[in-house]
């Protein structure tokens, strides 16, 4: 569960809102730009969009029914909002990255992978998707067609993050490190 409280005063009066519904641990929680919705991903193979403003306005003490994005068949490792918040990109250990319509929940695109997808992110104009996997490869995809455009390999372990540089001419990957 995720709990919201009012920490604007010296003393936290009480919990304002608890987001309950995932059946397994939550991996990530991400605010949208207006901070009225929260996107969560979980080990239960779902992403959920919670309308926090509506729940707080109703004084329900809980968020009611979240909008559920279901289609993955394994743990979700990550999710991100599109810039205009009309789409959501999820990465799953089931070997897929998926693009969803954030308003309807409709699955728009599935990027199939031979390994667990640990990370996914759009490029600046959201025409490409960059993914990273558990077997040490990163891929660039066409965000409209789902065509794999480029595969970068060479790591011998999982890649936990991948990022474009400012002009998107280079990609930086971060593999799993053991300390």
């Amino acid at each position: 569960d995720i709990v919201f409280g009012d920490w604007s005063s010296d003393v936290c009066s009480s919990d304002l809102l608890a987001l309950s519904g995932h059946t397994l641990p939550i991996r990530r929680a991400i605010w949208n730009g207006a901070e009225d919705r929260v996107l969560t991903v979980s080990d239960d193979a779902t992403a959920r969009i919670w309308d926090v403003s509506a729940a707080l306005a109703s004084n329900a003490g809980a968020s009611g029914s979240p909008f559920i994005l279901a289609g993955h068949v394994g743990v979700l490792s990550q999710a991100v909002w599109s810039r205009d918040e009309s789409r959501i990109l999820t990465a799953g250990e089931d070997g897929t990255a998926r693009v969803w319509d954030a308003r309807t929940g409709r699955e728009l695109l599935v990027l199939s992978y031979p390994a667990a997808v640990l990370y996914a992110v759009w490029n600046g104009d959201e025409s490409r998707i960059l993914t990273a996997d558990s077997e040490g490869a990163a891929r660039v995809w066409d965000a409209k067609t789902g065509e794999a455009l480029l595969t970068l390999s060479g790591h011998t372990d999982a890649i936990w993050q991948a990022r474009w540089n400012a002009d998107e001419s280079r990609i930086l990957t971060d593999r799993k490190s053991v300390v």
Side-chain angles (χ1 to χ4, degrees):
D1 292 354
I2 295 178
V3 177
F4 293 85
D6 181 0
W7 290 279
S8 60
S9 62
D10 290 337
V11 179
C12 180
S13 58
S14 65
D15 296 340
L16 296 176
L17 178 68
L19 303 181
S20 300
H22 282 291
T23 58
L24 291 172
I26 294 170
R27 293 266 179 136
R28 297 214 192 317
I30 307 105
W31 286 105
N32 70 334
E35 297 182 357
D36 59 355
R37 293 185 295 164
V38 172
L39 170 63
T40 57
V41 295
S42 169
D43 289 0
D44 69 7
T46 67
R48 295 170 190 242
I49 302 170
W50 308 82
D51 187 342
V52 176
S53 291
L56 289 171
S58 72
N59 293 322
S63 63
S65 298
F67 198 66
I68 300 172
L69 306 176
H72 285 278
V73 292
V75 169
L76 290 184
S77 44
Q78 189 237 352
V80 292
W81 298 93
S82 63
R83 241 185 354 259
D84 68 0
E85 299 176 2
S86 65
R87 295 174 295 156
I88 292 173
L89 174 61
T90 57
E93 293 184 13
D94 62 353
T96 66
R98 296 168 191 254
V99 177
W100 309 84
D101 184 305
R103 292 178 184 93
T104 67
R106 189 170 64 98
E107 188 178 84
L108 302 173
L109 187 66
V110 178
L111 308 174
S112 294
Y113 226 85
V117 181
L118 303 176
Y119 192 81
V121 65
W122 277 289
N123 69 335
D125 67 4
E126 297 179 347
S127 63
R128 304 277 187 261
I129 295 171
L130 174 60
T131 58
D133 77 21
S134 62
E135 294 183 359
R139 287 183 174 78
V140 176
W141 308 80
D142 184 293
K144 288 187 182 180
T145 67
E147 176 186 359
L149 303 173
L150 176 68
T151 300
L152 305 170
S153 57
H155 286 292
T156 58
D157 204 351
I159 298 175
W160 291 98
Q161 281 193 83
R163 296 276 186 194
W164 276 283
N165 66 337
D167 70 2
E168 299 177 1
S169 63
R170 296 182 181 155
I171 294 172
L172 176 67
T173 58
D174 176 15
R175 70 178 183 89
K176 180 179 177 181
S177 301
V178 178
V179 178

